[in-house]
Amino acid sequence: MEQNKYIEQIDKDLYYYAYMHSVRPQKIFMSNHLWSMLFTDDYCPVFMHMNDCPTYNGIPVMVFISDKLEYYLTSSGYAFEDED
């Protein structure tokens, strides 16, 4: 099944990320194309929580629009607040 090769690759990258950084990524940015492919697989560790925040193996996922099958693991980020 095609989804399994994507799941295996993501899981491998998560393992190496945790090994290299001694921590799991804080967030995964994933294309909507890849997300929809993974979400249709009954065996994929993708869940929707009560607050509608999707996760992959317990890591929050931010879905962005793209026709490519791509994802990015993040270790930090910052949100700028509006200045008054």
Side-chain angles (χ1 to χ4, degrees), residues 10-72:
I10 294 169
D11 289 345
K12 186 187 324 179
D13 284 345
L14 289 173
Y15 172 81
Y16 287 131
Y17 185 99
Y19 180 79
M20 296 295 293
H21 300 283
S22 300
V23 67
R24 292 168 33 125
Q26 291 181 354
K27 193 171 285 187
I28 301 172
F29 287 92
M30 189 177 295
S31 69
N32 63 324
H33 189 57
L34 179 58
W35 175 258
S36 64
M37 180 178 285
L38 296 179
F39 199 78
T40 59
D41 187 1
D42 294 336
Y43 301 104
C44 182
V46 172
F47 300 102
M48 296 291 283
H49 287 295
M50 301 269 292
N51 61 0
D52 293 329
C53 176
T55 64
Y56 181 89
N57 279 338
I59 302 169
V61 175
M62 295 294 296
V63 180
F64 62 92
I65 297 173
S66 174
D67 59 349
K68 297 179 182 178
L69 298 170
E70 58 186 328
Y71 64 94
Y72 304 94

